[in-house]
Amino acid sequence: ETRRRLFKKFANRYNIITTTDVDLGGNNIFIFPQERALTYANEIGDIDILIIDEFYKSSIEVDKERAPALIKCIINLGTKAKQRYFLAPNIDELQDNPFTQGMSFEKVDFKTVFLEVNNLYPQILEGKDKSDILLNLYRKTNGKSLIYAGTFSEIDNLRTLFSRNDIQYKKSELLDSFSKWLDDNYGRLWYLSDLVKKGIGIHHGKLHRSLSQIQIRLFEEEKNGLDTIISTSSIIEGVNTSAENVFVWRNKNGNKNLNDFTYKNIIGRGGRMFKHFIGKIYVLDKAPETETIQLSLPLPDDIILNESEIESIELPQEQITKIVVDNKELESKIGEDFVLLQSTKTSQIKTIVSELERNRKKWNGLNYINSSNPDDWGYLLNNFLWMMRWGFKQVDKDKIVDAIKICSNNWRKPMATILDELKDIDMGIEEYFSFEKKLTYDMASFLSDFNIIQKRVLNINADIEPFIIKIRNAFLPAVVFLLEEYGLPRMISRKIQDAKIINFEDDEMTTPTAISQLLIKKNDIMRIQTLDDFDIYMLNYFYQGVNM
């Protein structure tokens, strides 16, 4: 969404870069999550302004898994920035830390709308049925609504609640068209196709990017679009939307209780400047206690930093000593290449090195993972999964191995067919979305590090980069996978490929080249006979985001 907004305003003067296959121009605006930013860090000489949005996520207390990567971005890119501007909502105090030295803290309390908070939890404590309260309120409210579910299981409970009760189907050709598109492309058994006909969408971080985007777009349609979005915390993380009504269904954020910080962020989605000056909030679970929010940003003990990064911040001597000792140990095992590793955790790298040294014979035949026959992958995939410590039992590992083999046909077979085959190994569509996320990021990142390390430790003339490229892109052509971030689903790319208008299978094609061809050949694309009405709607949405 940030890319789409900045593209319209600045694309005539700047390269707007969101993927890692774009050549730098004279003027560039980068829009990245932290992991992707790190891949460009060495190419960027200086930065006019570095903006870290939601910088509270650099605290390991907030995001244990991804905070180290964000910290590395702040340190590495911060030294190259003429200006630094860090944003976070609802922070009262910022404790001393090594990352914001020389910066001033400004708290802004200005609010553009008034929030009318209705605490309904006491009624539930008195015995009133929570589901009945929600349904009664939902039928009476007007305008757009966000329902914060809190967890994936609660999304499932809510969609069952709305499916089984007399929520009227909405008279909308657009939503009927979207429902049919979901049936055709994801299979007729997915609950979302029925929900959208009632004007209700689903948003969480595991959905295909293009699916999340198009539902937000439909939510912004005034008359014929979605009236309601049921969501996890994904709706407050990088999604620029709000609603007249916000329902807080559960006091949860994943497996943790909501803290006051996140709660305020959620209810802050109620109301919209110049549109809904009063945001109506309905709280159906115990709200967290109000507290002064102090942000603590300690440096993790386990982080990998290079020499220049260590020198750029002030750290206690004992912490510097530990990092230097860890670096020397890594350098002695894998050479200077340790600075190329995607992992930011020393312990993860030491684990890979140790297990490769102890079990060298286990990795003979490593190049078999590059085979074009997925049946050749099983033994090595089991070894990778065991080393990754995904916490699977053997039966679960076998299921994941089978799923990877099935998904190797992602480009050759329709998505609905892939989902039918996954169903045969007891993997439903929601589990598939989670699986693909882990495959394309967690496993691809792990194997990239493994590949660097094994070349030094095993010395067996093996290189698994071809396989890494496949899983990083969910076994799709790289540009097809990246174009989903621009709002172009893989299913439409496949139709364009089959019509022989653009060859996405060209290994030399980059995202800018693909977008250029899509723009040049727009008229031919719009005349493809296999496109349905909603394909056309999605193509128009895509073109709005890449046209100046």
Side-chain angles (χ1 to χ4, degrees):
E1 290 197 351
T2 304
R3 179 197 64 78
R4 292 175 76 93
R5 292 197 302 274
L6 293 184
F7 186 90
K8 290 183 181 300
K9 192 171 182 67
F10 296 109
N12 60 334
R13 290 181 289 141
Y14 289 86
N15 277 357
I16 312 295
I17 300 175
T18 62
T19 61
T20 54
D21 61 347
V22 181
D23 293 330
L24 305 192
N27 299 311
N28 307 285
I29 296 176
F30 301 94
I31 308 166
F32 286 147
Q34 54 263 46
E35 295 84 4
R36 197 171 285 181
L38 287 172
T39 65
Y40 259 117
N42 294 329
E43 296 186 45
I44 301 173
D46 60 85
I47 300 169
D48 294 296
I49 182 167
L50 172 68
I51 301 172
I52 306 290
D53 196 12
E54 297 180 337
F55 87 95
Y56 62 90
K57 291 185 179 179
S58 57
S59 171
I60 55 176
E61 297 169 2
V62 175
D63 193 338
K64 185 178 180 180
E65 292 302 314
R66 299 182 67 199
L70 183 53
I71 286 171
K72 275 187 72 74
C73 281
I74 290 173
I75 296 172
N76 189 303
L77 300 178
T79 60
K80 304 174 182 181
K82 298 173 186 174
Q83 303 174 75
R84 293 177 297 162
Y85 186 42
F86 298 174
L87 302 113
N90 305 315
I91 301 296
D92 296 305
E93 296 177 18
L94 179 63
Q95 295 182 1
D96 287 342
N97 66 87
F99 316 118
T100 58
Q101 291 164 355
M103 301 175 73
S104 61
F105 177 79
E106 297 287 343
K107 181 181 176 183
V108 181
D109 280 334
F110 176 73
K111 293 178 174 61
T112 59
V113 297
F114 174 78
L115 297 183
E116 176 189 288
V117 180
N118 301 278
N119 184 7
L120 305 169
Y121 184 61
Q123 296 181 27
I124 295 166
L125 287 177
E126 291 171 1
K128 288 194 176 181
D129 187 272
K130 183 177 179 180
S131 298
D132 287 344
I133 292 175
L134 174 62
L135 288 170
N136 289 334
L137 283 169
Y138 184 78
R139 292 186 183 103
K140 294 176 184 176
T141 53
N142 297 311
K144 303 287 184 175
S145 297
L146 294 174
I147 303 178
Y148 176 75
T151 66
F152 295 108
S153 61
E154 290 298 337
I155 282 185
D156 196 52
N157 290 336
L158 284 168
R159 66 94 178 170
T160 302
L161 179 67
F162 283 102
S163 295
R164 292 180 178 174
N165 284 275
D166 60 340
I167 304 300
Q168 297 297 310
Y169 287 105
K170 185 172 181 178
K171 293 179 180 178
S172 166
E173 290 184 7
L174 177 59
L175 294 183
D176 288 344
S177 176
F178 181 35
S179 176
K180 181 180 180 301
W181 187 90
L182 289 168
D183 282 341
D184 291 343
N185 290 286
Y186 287 93
R188 293 185 179 278
L189 297 180
W190 193 21
Y191 64 79
L192 185 58
S193 64
D194 185 65
L195 271 186
V196 298
K197 288 193 288 187
K198 295 185 174 186
I200 301 170
I202 297 290
H203 197 287
H204 56 73
K206 297 175 183 178
L207 288 174
H208 286 158
R209 294 279 181 89
S210 54
L211 258 184
S212 298
Q213 286 187 40
I214 203 63
Q215 288 188 86
I216 294 300
R217 175 70 187 92
L218 288 167
F219 188 63
E220 291 169 351
E221 291 273 4
E222 286 298 322
K223 294 182 179 179
N224 297 315
L226 296 171
D227 298 318
T228 301
I229 296 282
I230 302 173
S231 173
T232 61
S233 61
S234 64
I235 206 72
I236 60 168
E237 295 171 351
V239 179
N240 184 37
T241 194
S242 55
E244 186 171 357
N245 313 295
V246 175
F247 296 86
V248 181
W249 173 254
R250 279 301 305 274
N251 175 21
K252 287 285 184 180
N253 185 9
N255 57 8
K256 297 179 180 178
N257 287 335
L258 276 180
N259 56 30
D260 186 43
F261 171 82
T262 308
Y263 171 75
K264 287 176 180 174
N265 209 354
I266 292 165
I267 66 174
R269 293 289 169 162
R272 179 178 289 185
M273 187 166 58
F274 305 128
K275 195 168 185 182
H276 308 303
F277 289 100
I278 297 178
K280 297 173 183 176
I281 315 299
Y282 302 95
V283 183
L284 291 94
D285 204 352
K286 185 178 180 181
E289 296 293 329
T290 302
E291 58 186 6
T292 299
I293 300 172
Q294 297 183 342
L295 184 60
S296 171
L297 299 175
L299 185 76
D301 291 332
D302 203 19
I303 195 169
I304 298 174
L305 298 177
N306 61 37
E307 189 174 331
S308 62
E309 289 169 340
I310 296 171
E311 292 174 353
S312 68
I313 55 175
E314 292 183 14
L315 293 171
Q317 186 57 48
E318 62 270 19
Q319 199 161 19
I320 293 174
T321 301
K322 181 184 183 305
I323 294 172
V324 170
V325 169
D326 285 341
N327 284 356
K328 286 181 178 178
E329 182 180 349
L330 292 178
E331 190 170 357
S332 69
K333 299 287 186 181
I334 55 179
E336 294 181 357
D337 283 350
F338 83 89
V339 299
L340 303 175
L341 298 172
Q342 293 188 23
S343 174
T344 54
K345 296 183 179 180
T346 305
S347 57
Q348 289 180 353
I349 304 308
K350 287 181 178 180
T351 297
I352 297 175
V353 171
S354 173
E355 295 190 353
L356 284 175
E357 288 177 335
R358 287 203 310 265
N359 299 293
R360 291 174 182 271
K361 291 182 180 180
K362 191 176 182 179
W363 302 100
N364 289 339
L366 186 56
N367 279 320
Y368 272 106
I369 202 69
N370 296 324
S371 168
S372 58
N373 182 2
D375 289 338
D376 294 334
W377 302 345
Y379 173 74
L380 288 165
L381 286 175
N382 263 292
N383 288 347
F384 291 144
L385 292 170
W386 173 78
M387 190 182 282
M388 286 177 68
R389 302 290 198 268
W390 269 7
F392 297 129
K393 300 174 183 176
Q394 184 58 47
V395 64
D396 297 321
K397 281 196 286 185
D398 290 343
K399 179 177 174 178
I400 294 299
V401 169
D402 288 341
I404 291 172
K405 291 178 181 179
I406 291 169
C407 289
S408 67
N409 288 311
N410 267 353
W411 182 236
R412 290 186 289 272
K413 294 182 179 181
M415 185 79 256
T417 302
I418 295 292
L419 290 169
D420 278 341
E421 293 179 11
L422 290 169
K423 204 182 306 173
D424 291 338
I425 63 167
D426 197 30
M427 179 177 283
I429 188 168
E430 298 292 343
E431 188 180 355
Y432 162 72
F433 285 133
S434 298
F435 158 74
E436 188 176 284
K437 284 282 186 182
K438 277 185 169 290
L439 181 73
T440 57
Y441 177 67
D442 292 350
M443 191 169 194
S445 298
F446 173 84
L447 291 184
S448 292
D449 289 345
F450 173 91
N451 200 32
I452 291 171
I453 296 167
Q454 66 86 13
K455 288 177 183 178
R456 282 297 298 261
V457 176
L458 297 179
N459 195 27
I460 57 174
N461 195 28
D463 183 5
I464 64 171
E465 183 63 21
F467 181 73
I468 295 169
I469 291 171
K470 289 178 182 177
I471 64 169
R472 182 180 292 127
N473 299 302
F475 296 100
L476 301 167
V479 289
V480 170
F481 186 68
L482 291 171
L483 284 170
E484 290 204 312
E485 296 184 19
Y486 289 74
L488 187 68
R490 61 192 71 178
M491 304 82 170
I492 297 179
S493 294
R494 181 73 251 187
K495 291 181 179 181
I496 296 169
Q497 176 81 24
D498 290 344
K500 296 184 166 57
I501 295 175
I502 298 174
N503 180 19
F504 292 116
E505 295 173 6
D506 180 357
D507 290 337
E508 301 300 315
M509 182 176 285
T510 63
T511 306
T513 305
I515 291 173
S516 176
Q517 289 197 35
L518 285 160
L519 288 167
I520 292 168
K521 300 176 181 180
K522 178 180 178 180
N523 291 336
D524 292 334
I525 290 168
M526 290 298 197
R527 287 195 291 265
I528 295 173
Q529 292 185 351
T530 54
L531 295 175
D532 64 22
D533 290 344
F534 202 75
D535 287 331
I536 298 295
Y537 180 87
M538 295 190 84
L539 275 166
N540 283 326
Y541 170 75
F542 164 76
Y543 280 119
Q544 288 167 12
V546 295
N547 245 331
M548 282 186 282

